[in-house]
Amino acid sequence: MKIHVEEGAVSDGQAAAVELAAGEAALVLHPKQIIAFQGRSGSREDRLLNVAGVYRKKRWIESRLTGPARFVLGVPAGYSFRAMELPEDSSLLFDIRYVLLYSEGMKLQSRFQKIKQAVVTQDWIRMKFSGGGTLGLLSCGPLCELTIDPSEPVYVDIGCLVAYPEEAKLQLCVYGNPLASQRMNYHWEITGSGKVLLQPSRPRFGLADPLQGDSLFKRILREALPFGGVIIK
């Protein structure tokens, strides 16, 4: 899989061009962001996820695209796209909301958060991608990496943490003097080895989330009927 991101201001949006060779396949978790496609019509297959898939991926449908083919993903204004090559033994746990696409063949494993973490983040599951492959991530601004240490903690705004090593230790906290602690969002105190992935600002989620704001009946109709996403508002 080859990915080229058109350079441009994040405020104006971006485009990511993806090329799949014969025998390669990619899964796109935000199908509406596919703005152009070149290949056999049958090379794109959208499928309705089962209950477990909906809960894990927080999507109703995903697109499977097979090569040889090329397609372009539209990245909304205010978001950045980054492609990462994950090794087979990667231990990073991701918030699935930031994953736009990934290589078919990567294994997704659910990791339940601790109760204290889940209460704060309103999300019980983080996803681990193993087996090696390409991961395409969305973030609010350019994604950055920060090395963590086993003894010297790093403090990270809970809304800016995209991924962290499974072995890392997270504690909910604030820091600084009393005035500082009163004027900040809750942070994770993180210790361990490896790197964490951060975004520079909290998400606005300009990408429509079909799991929010609609009745179950409307959601099913929108995904099941032809052009349901256009007709049913």
Side-chain angles (χ1 to χ4, degrees):
M1 184 190 307
K2 297 180 180 179
I3 301 178
H4 174 72
V5 181
E6 297 293 336
E7 297 296 334
V10 173
S11 59
D12 298 327
Q14 294 178 306
V18 183
E19 183 174 351
L20 297 173
E24 291 183 324
L27 298 169
V28 179
L29 295 182
H30 295 273
K32 288 186 178 180
Q33 301 310 125
I34 302 173
I35 60 174
F37 175 81
Q38 184 178 33
R40 295 184 301 104
S41 177
S43 294
R44 172 175 173 172
E45 177 189 359
D46 286 17
R47 51 194 182 187
L48 190 66
L49 297 174
N50 57 26
V51 174
V54 170
Y55 184 72
R56 296 169 68 202
K57 299 180 180 180
K58 294 182 170 52
R59 310 299 301 171
W60 284 99
I61 59 173
E62 67 179 2
S63 290
R64 179 178 183 268
L65 297 105
T66 56
R70 295 187 295 174
F71 60 95
V72 179
L73 297 169
V75 180
Y79 285 80
S80 291
F81 177 86
R82 178 173 171 180
M84 296 184 61
E85 291 295 326
L86 291 184
E88 291 187 10
D89 58 351
S90 174
S91 65
L92 287 174
L93 301 183
F94 289 87
D95 185 331
I96 195 65
R97 294 175 296 178
Y98 301 108
V99 178
L100 180 54
L101 85 160
Y102 61 95
S103 302
E104 185 176 64
M106 298 182 77
K107 185 178 179 180
L108 278 68
Q109 299 171 302
S110 301
R111 293 291 187 266
F112 285 93
Q113 294 194 91
K114 296 179 180 178
I115 294 177
K116 290 182 179 179
Q117 296 176 7
V119 169
V120 175
T121 61
Q122 300 298 305
D123 187 11
W124 290 89
I125 291 178
R126 286 267 176 165
M127 299 304 300
K128 180 179 179 180
F129 292 81
S130 59
T134 303
L135 199 66
L137 298 172
L138 290 172
S139 59
C140 291
L143 200 65
C144 61
E145 298 181 1
L146 185 64
T147 301
I148 58 176
D149 185 86
S151 57
E152 185 176 354
V154 172
Y155 301 97
V156 178
D157 187 310
I158 62 171
C160 296
L161 182 61
V162 174
Y164 59 88
E166 185 175 12
E167 302 82 8
K169 182 179 179 181
L170 278 68
Q171 298 271 354
L172 189 65
C173 72
V174 291
Y175 64 94
N177 65 6
L179 182 58
S181 63
Q182 291 170 16
R183 297 178 60 83
M184 69 173 61
N185 298 317
Y186 278 113
H187 281 58
W188 293 124
E189 179 185 289
I190 307 176
T191 54
S193 300
K195 295 183 178 181
V196 295
L197 301 181
L198 311 173
Q199 58 185 353
S201 62
R202 284 175 164 247
R204 297 179 298 276
F205 288 112
L207 290 174
D209 185 351
L211 301 183
Q212 301 294 332
D214 285 334
S215 68
L216 177 62
F217 181 67
K218 286 180 66 175
R219 295 172 192 167
I220 294 174
L221 287 180
R222 183 178 288 118
E223 304 300 348
L225 295 178
F227 303 105
V230 177
I231 299 171
I232 301 173
K233 299 296 184 181

